[in-house]
Amino acid sequence: MDIVRYLSQSEVKAHLKLEKAPSEGTARKWPKRMEFRYGTGKNGMYIDGHEREDISEKPEPVQKGEGASIMVSDFCSPDLGWLQSKNGETEARILFKAGKSRDGYFSCEDLCQQIELAIEPFEDHFPGTAIAAFGFDNAPGHQKWADDALSARYMPKYPKKWTGKKGIRMRNGILPNGQQQEFYYPDNHPEFGGCFKGMKKILEERGLTREANLNAECDKFKCPDPNAACCCRQVLFNQPDFIAQKPAIVELIESHGHIAFFYPKFHCELNFIEQCWGYAKFQYRMLPWTKKEAEMEKNIWESLDKVDTEKMRR
């Protein structure tokens, strides 16, 4: 019926030189003859027809480009355009020369630093009068937790000299009564000075004495039921404060009194900034090839600035 409705439009019939739209029966036959089938896509893969037997030439991987490249990261708004202060002296845009021997690789830490830059010009436009809603692609790097975030994944069961990521101590948890729960013994403790308490002790302090005597984790942490109290690790994973753990960029933005959200996975077309990038890339491709990075940076900047607020709104 979608096919029938689409082909019933006067402009479509005129374009395809159709006297009338096909019947529903004919529309049902078309997908079958074109070898379309109803079903669930597997692994999120996009199939473009190259795998068909009647396509003899096999696709070859092509490099993204030759020579050096420059990465751009920026924030845009249909209200403010590319984010910058009122006087234009402070802006959120950064150019990043990705590569092992260059600026390295754009990490969550780099994004957090840029977010700090972005919040300042927004608050310059709306000093204490508006809340910003920062939207991000649902990429793994954007979901990264802070180095001291709550996670039971590698916790030892018993007291041990242990820290989380990068040798940083894990932050305090929250007990059922709302009080802070310290995960480390004080340095002057007679037996375990400065040690991590371990999952057993943490669970006991939460009143979960039976769960504290479970095994540290199920075989290879493949629990039969993610909601079951089958091992110490799974019990902690299901504790309210562990469940409430947010990505680092969300914690940062909320600490400034603003909001952060993520677009649905694999739906970049819902994010209008993708169209902004596309238009900027179109402008860049119209320019002559560059041989110097300084010239490349200048062209990138000018191409992005051609995406004005009106185009962002459209």
Side-chain angles (χ1 to χ4, degrees):
M1 288 308 299
D2 286 336
I3 295 173
V4 173
R5 280 191 287 267
Y6 177 75
L7 295 177
S8 297
Q9 300 176 80
S10 57
E11 61 271 22
V12 176
K13 287 194 291 185
H15 178 71
L16 298 177
K17 299 179 180 179
L18 295 174
E19 293 183 3
K20 63 178 182 178
S23 66
E24 183 181 346
T26 301
R28 287 179 182 275
K29 294 177 182 178
W30 283 359
K32 185 176 180 180
R33 293 202 177 174
M34 296 172 69
E35 299 183 357
F36 282 102
R37 297 288 185 274
Y38 284 108
T40 303
K42 297 180 180 179
N43 300 328
M45 294 296 291
Y46 171 72
I47 306 299
D48 60 5
H50 285 295
E51 295 78 11
R52 285 172 42 163
E53 293 180 359
D54 57 343
I55 303 294
S56 59
E57 183 178 353
K58 299 299 181 183
E60 295 290 337
V62 180
Q63 289 187 352
K64 207 167 186 178
E66 297 180 0
S69 63
I70 295 179
M71 172 187 168
V72 184
S73 184
D74 204 351
F75 290 88
C76 67
S77 160
D79 296 311
L80 302 174
W82 298 112
L83 194 52
Q84 57 181 330
S85 59
K86 285 183 178 180
N87 57 17
E89 294 180 358
T90 303
E91 54 190 334
R93 181 182 304 168
I94 63 169
L95 301 188
F96 193 88
K97 299 176 182 178
K100 189 174 181 179
S101 59
R102 304 173 81 204
D103 291 340
Y105 299 96
F106 198 75
S107 64
C108 182
E109 289 76 13
D110 294 310
L111 179 57
C112 286
Q113 292 177 12
Q114 187 187 15
I115 289 171
E116 295 277 10
L117 292 176
I119 290 175
E120 182 179 342
F122 176 84
E123 294 181 344
D124 181 45
H125 285 275
F126 308 103
T129 61
I131 294 175
F134 286 88
F136 298 92
D137 292 333
N138 209 319
H142 295 167
Q143 298 286 348
K144 185 178 181 295
W145 289 352
D147 292 332
D148 67 342
L150 295 179
S151 174
R153 185 64 188 92
Y154 300 106
M155 281 184 175
K157 183 176 180 180
Y158 300 103
K160 185 179 180 180
K161 289 287 186 181
W162 178 85
T163 56
K165 297 178 180 179
K166 301 179 181 179
I168 297 175
R169 282 190 170 194
M170 191 171 290
R171 67 183 65 171
N172 293 340
I174 305 294
L175 291 168
N177 61 7
Q179 294 181 348
Q180 295 272 321
Q181 180 187 26
E182 295 187 1
F183 287 167
Y184 294 85
Y185 286 104
D187 292 335
N188 60 358
H189 190 275
E191 185 177 1
F192 303 116
C195 287
F196 182 76
K197 289 181 177 179
M199 292 187 290
K200 178 177 173 62
K201 182 64 174 177
I202 292 172
L203 289 171
E204 288 174 346
E205 291 179 351
R206 294 177 179 230
L208 302 172
T209 54
R210 184 188 68 83
E211 292 82 351
N213 293 316
L214 295 170
N215 292 333
E217 70 176 31
C218 295
D219 185 33
K220 297 180 181 179
F221 198 39
K222 294 182 178 180
C223 301
D225 181 357
N227 297 315
C230 52
C231 62
C232 292
R233 208 174 303 287
Q234 191 62 258
V235 172
L236 277 176
F237 261 105
N238 291 325
Q239 289 292 290
D241 51 345
F242 283 75
I243 293 175
Q245 179 61 57
K246 298 177 181 179
I249 59 177
V250 175
E251 290 185 329
L252 172 61
I253 291 169
E254 291 182 349
S255 70
H256 287 272
H258 300 294
I259 298 170
F261 67 93
F262 295 98
Y263 289 99
K265 288 184 177 180
F266 313 120
H267 285 75
C268 60
E269 65 270 18
L270 298 181
N271 183 350
F272 83 100
I273 198 172
E274 295 292 342
Q275 298 177 33
C276 297
W277 290 132
Y279 188 82
K281 291 175 182 177
F282 169 78
Q283 296 294 332
Y284 187 86
R285 290 291 294 272
M286 296 299 104
L287 299 172
W289 281 28
T290 57
K291 296 182 178 180
K292 297 180 179 179
E293 285 193 1
E295 186 180 358
M296 186 190 301
E297 291 184 25
K298 177 177 177 292
N299 289 346
I300 289 173
W301 217 271
E302 292 178 354
S303 297
L304 286 168
D305 287 340
K306 288 181 181 178
V307 188
D308 55 28
T309 308
E310 182 180 358
K311 291 185 178 65
M312 290 181 185
R313 290 173 180 170
R314 289 182 176 180

